[in-house]
Amino acid sequence: MSDWVRVFAHSNALMVSHVHNVLESAGVPAELRNMTLGGGAGELPLGDCEPGVWVAPHNAERAENLVHEALEGPVEARPEWHCPGCGERLEGVFETCWACGTHRRD
């Protein structure tokens, strides 16, 4: 897996873990690296010490889009939708129905 590419890095390990979870839940295999190298900053280049999320090259573009959406929000607002499971009306930002747990289908 040494040919993987870094799609996100941040000094805050919680942020890095969040991005990793976003990618994994979207079905993009991702790897956490450098989660404990922060103490080496100064002795080693910062880019080599900063926690990051890495993916296979063929997943890089999709991963970068998911990271951007997770941190900045969707590029365009999504319309309201009705849950196919229970009929509940939900705002466009929601992917899962709060009432019954059914996932949005579009």
Side-chain angles (χ1 to χ4, degrees):
M1 290 190 193
S2 62
D3 62 336
W4 282 26
V5 295
R6 185 171 67 179
V7 292
F8 182 75
H10 198 279
S11 59
N12 184 332
L14 291 175
M15 249 336 224
V16 174
S17 294
H18 170 65
V19 167
H20 176 261
N21 291 339
V22 166
L23 295 179
E24 288 283 328
S25 69
V28 177
E31 184 177 288
L32 290 169
R33 294 188 186 173
N34 301 337
M35 295 301 284
T36 58
L37 284 179
E43 296 288 324
L44 299 168
L46 181 59
D48 292 345
C49 296
E50 198 167 43
V53 180
W54 296 68
V55 299
H58 67 275
N59 286 327
E61 184 176 350
R62 180 166 181 242
E64 288 168 354
N65 290 336
L66 288 166
V67 169
H68 183 329
E69 188 172 310
L71 299 177
E72 304 295 329
V75 175
E76 52 188 59
R78 295 178 76 183
E80 290 183 348
W81 59 287
H82 290 274
C83 174
C86 70
E88 182 70 28
R89 191 182 111 235
L90 299 140
E91 294 181 30
V93 297
F94 296 107
E95 293 294 323
T96 304
C97 177
W98 67 269
C100 71
T102 300
H103 293 291
R104 186 178 190 149
R105 290 194 180 137
D106 60 14

